[in-house]
Amino acid sequence: MRDAFSIQLPAEQVRFLDKLAKDTAKSRNQIISNAVALMMKNFEYVARLVEEADADFAAGRVISHEEVMKHSQAIVDRTVGRRSDRASSPKRVGRENQLEY
């Protein structure tokens, strides 16, 4: 069973929604319904992650700030070291997103 309700949106959001509906050949209702469903799934996922983190904390499964910083710095040092071995600037090859050093 579905329930109907109305919402008020700023004009800019309505224009965007209309353009999206036209571009995707979907109704406003379909787009909003899909967006709400995705938001709810995301909320559930984040809530589950928070519960897991709380359980880890309660069980003492934590890492000190100092250890995190030490590990992070080691990653930065390795990354900087690799970059200094390469040419000073990357050049584009093939697709737009791919870089070659």
Side-chain angles (χ1 to χ4, degrees), residues 12-24:
E12 181 180 318
Q13 290 179 353
V14 173
R15 283 190 299 273
F16 182 85
L17 185 58
D18 286 341
K19 181 179 179 340
L20 189 58
K22 181 181 176 188
D23 292 348
T24 61

Side-chain angles (χ1 to χ4, degrees), residues 3-14:
D3 287 334
F5 64 93
S6 64
I7 60 171
Q8 294 182 4
L9 297 173
E12 181 180 318
Q13 290 179 353
V14 173

